[in-house]
Amino acid sequence: MGLLKRAWLWFDDRSGVSKAIGPVATHAVPRGSAWSWALGSATLFAFLVQVVTGIGLATAYVTSTADAYQSLQFISHEATFGHLIRGMHYWGASAMVLFIGLHMAQVFLIAAYKFPRELNWLSGVALLGVTLAMGFTGQLLRWDQTAVWSVIVAAAQAGRAPVVGQALVHFILAGDTVGGATLTRFFAYHVFFVPALIFGLVGLHLFLVLHHGVSEPPKAGRPVDPKTYRRWYHDYLKTEGVPFWPDSAWRDVVVGVGMLVVLVGLAAVVGAPELGKPPDPTLLDAYPRPDWYLLWYFAVLALLPTNLEDYLILLLPAIAGALLVALPFISNRGERSALRRPWAMGIVLIVIVMISTLWIKGDQAPWSPAFTAQALPPAVIQNQASALASEVVVTGAGLFHSKGCENCHMVAGYGGQRGPNLTAVGQRLSQAQMTTRILNGGNNMPAYGGSLTPDQLNALVAFLSSRRPPAVTQPGVASGGSQ
Ligand code: HEC
């Protein structure tokens, strides 16, 4: 007997490992389960990648507002394999969300949530929730402009929820503003609390999968009847069952290894997104938006009418969650085949179309400041071909660009669409109204009271007052002054 074999036998005898794992590894699963049955284990595998790469990141990450940004720069550019590990963690997160989505869609389509697997579904819904929480908390840990602003925006949105709003903000930010306490809290959630929840839920989920057995491929005309299903499934496995290892598990292994290869490839070639500028709350030059998997929801919120938004911000996820939870109770028996449940296919299709549309909107984000806005060309500043703009108006136009106004406001086709178009604002608002608005901000318009000198304010107002529809014969000059 070879030494290796003897060592194994000794280890197995003393540890009992094959007795413990053997039955689990070789338990009978339905023959004919397809590749789509591997989506769940793909999700699990992505999670394990996150655990390993996450531990790697945590060894070098510094949880302090002063050092977090630098430590990530160090990880990204200097640490051995740092670039690769951060890249894998980023793409692994995407993979996890993607596979959870696909796995849920598949389970929904084959109605594997029906009797007796209701709890499998519910623990899966909980896993979806905690996975999204990981995405949200992880983003702040980048601690760059975008990350910090995203959380400020999220908190501002949560804060507008009726009744619980303020408490929620306090909970999210660990205080009233984003700061050291916020970072520490997000870090603790991201590396201890939520992962612990995930481990527990994954354990439960897998236990339930073993307990009820892997669901058989559905067949039209073979409905689930809770009275007879268990006995039927038992007999079914006797004829149609194959041992999980190796007959079915090889697909999971292929998917897992394939994913690892793709993740390493993406991490090496594309990498994680470059960090933005270090956070500076006085700079508005940020592009707050969540990572792609939450981007579509960001679009929902941005597109909702402002007066409904306050309610829907929390209500929409609550409704979606409630529907997911209710599903196995609404329909836990009957046909499983998607062919006999056309509405199931319809729902999946609608959700896919809806999310992709919103996703495209979210990517364009016409409601976000346009940070690439170019300075207004002289022809626009002059407004009228005939009259030359006065010096103060030219100065104001320059400030309009350099102070970031143009990122949110469009003038004659230049600039962002976050705020109202100011092409003809001179006709609409008095100088006093403009001054008040610029100094005080309000409704998504930042207050500039603290960051403009009186001269700058004058120039801005002069410039804005000069903005009139081209038809009106009005030289592009205003006296300035804040009245
Ligand atoms: C972050 C985006 C953003 C930036 C930057 C910004 N604004 Fe605004 N602004 C808005 C929004 C949004 C509104 C509309 C607020 C409302 O609904 O009351 C607005 C409103 C205004 C109005 C009133 C327009 C009207 O038709 O009622 C003026 C004038 C204005 N901004 C000027 C400025 C100037 C000048 C600057 C630069 C110093 C500036 N804004 C920077 C977003 C911005």
Side-chain angles (χ1 to χ4, degrees):
M1 220 179 348
L3 185 65
L4 262 180
K5 178 145 195 210
R6 283 213 328 261
W8 161 247
L9 286 180
W10 177 89
F11 177 74
D12 192 30
D13 177 67
R14 304 302 193 277
S15 68
V17 64
S18 67
K19 263 200 208 115
I21 295 186
V24 173
T26 56
H27 79 282
V29 298
R31 189 199 305 280
S33 33
W35 282 94
S36 49
W37 262 248
L39 288 170
S41 51
T43 314
L44 176 61
F45 198 78
F47 173 61
L48 295 180
V49 169
Q50 291 310 87
V51 172
V52 173
T53 54
I55 291 174
L57 289 175
T59 57
Y61 183 77
V62 183
T63 324
S64 103
T65 52
D67 302 319
Y69 183 81
Q70 278 314 319
S71 71
L72 260 187
Q73 290 288 24
F74 169 76
I75 291 173
S76 308
H77 299 295
E78 288 168 51
T80 323
F81 295 127
H83 173 78
L84 199 68
I85 291 177
R86 194 178 150 229
M88 285 180 73
H89 201 68
Y90 173 76
W91 289 104
S94 299
M96 198 171 158
V97 175
L98 181 73
F99 280 115
I100 274 204
L102 292 175
H103 179 49
M104 283 183 89
Q106 191 244 358
V107 165
F108 178 67
L109 280 176
I110 65 167
Y113 57 82
K114 292 195 174 185
F115 180 89
R117 301 188 179 85
E118 294 96 332
L119 277 182
N120 300 39
W121 174 262
L122 292 183
S123 53
V125 170
L127 277 165
L128 173 71
V130 288
T131 302
L132 294 180
M134 284 304 271
F136 178 66
T137 51
Q139 228 196 1
L140 180 82
L141 301 185
R142 278 182 213 145
W143 205 250
D144 61 357
Q145 271 284 71
T146 310
V148 171
W149 273 100
S150 304
V151 171
I152 294 178
V153 170
Q157 286 175 335
R160 277 157 48 189
V163 190
V164 290
Q166 279 318 307
L168 214 60
V169 172
H170 212 83
F171 172 73
I172 294 176
L173 300 184
D176 294 322
T177 54
V178 174
T182 321
L183 180 58
T184 303
R185 175 164 294 191
F186 272 58
F187 183 74
Y189 282 150
H190 190 76
V191 306
F192 301 118
F193 182 54
V194 185
L197 283 180
I198 297 187
F199 273 113
L201 284 165
V202 165
L204 174 66
H205 201 65
L206 293 184
F207 166 78
L208 289 168
V209 169
L210 287 172
H211 180 60
H212 296 301
V214 173
S215 76
E216 74 285 359
K219 201 161 118 190
R222 192 174 65 198
V224 172
D225 180 355
K227 285 202 202 69
T228 55
Y229 180 81
R230 280 210 167 95
R231 168 168 300 274
W232 175 85
Y233 181 77
H234 189 76
D235 297 342
Y236 174 87
L237 277 191
K238 281 201 186 123
T239 57
E240 294 295 311
V242 290
F244 174 66
W245 180 268
D247 289 51
S248 169
W250 69 271
R251 285 198 203 86
D252 302 85
V253 174
V254 171
V255 168
V257 172
M259 182 193 300
L260 201 60
V261 171
V262 171
L263 286 182
V264 170
L266 280 172
V269 178
V270 187
E274 272 296 322
L275 293 180
K277 295 184 187 139
D280 178 351
T282 61
L283 286 181
L284 283 164
D285 182 6
Y287 191 13
R289 57 203 247 131
D291 284 343
W292 68 267
Y293 42 84
L294 289 176
L295 193 59
W296 62 275
Y297 186 62
F298 174 69
V300 175
L301 297 183
L303 292 173
L304 285 173
T306 328
N307 49 342
L308 287 183
E309 202 177 314
D310 293 8
Y311 296 90
L312 295 181
I313 274 173
L314 292 181
L315 207 59
L316 281 183
I319 292 174
L323 282 177
L324 287 175
V325 168
L327 176 69
F329 301 105
I330 297 172
S331 104
N332 79 333
R333 61 188 67 204
E335 285 287 348
R336 280 189 49 198
S337 166
L339 298 173
R340 298 278 170 101
R341 296 159 57 243
W343 50 268
M345 293 215 244
I347 289 176
V348 170
L349 208 68
I350 290 172
V351 169
I352 291 177
V353 169
M354 214 165 66
I355 290 191
S356 358
T357 320
L358 285 168
W359 191 63
I360 293 169
K361 271 277 165 213
D363 193 46
Q364 299 165 340
W367 52 83
S368 270
F371 291 109
T372 48
Q374 293 173 358
L376 295 172
V380 169
I381 300 172
Q382 280 174 29
N383 202 13
Q384 314 300 315
S386 53
L388 263 184
S390 73
E391 206 176 309
V392 66
V393 168
V394 174
T395 313
L399 288 166
F400 189 72
H401 177 255
S402 64
K403 288 286 173 186
C405 317
E406 204 186 322
N407 297 339
C408 290
H409 293 290
M410 190 170 275
V411 166
Y414 292 85
Q417 302 174 42
R418 179 77 183 91
N421 190 318
L422 299 182
T423 306
V425 66
Q427 175 169 287
R428 193 164 68 236
L429 297 181
S430 71
Q431 298 199 340
Q433 286 171 316
M434 292 178 195
T435 308
T436 317
R437 176 44 62 91
I438 296 171
L439 290 179
N440 299 330
N443 286 353
N444 293 332
M445 155 95 186
Y448 280 85
S451 56
L452 290 174
T453 65
D455 282 348
Q456 289 177 326
L457 182 64
N458 266 358
L460 269 173
V461 172
F463 164 68
L464 291 179
S465 305
S466 78
R467 302 312 313 174
R468 314 230 164 212
V472 185
T473 2
Q474 162 86 29
V477 181
S479 60
S482 44
Q483 297 172 14

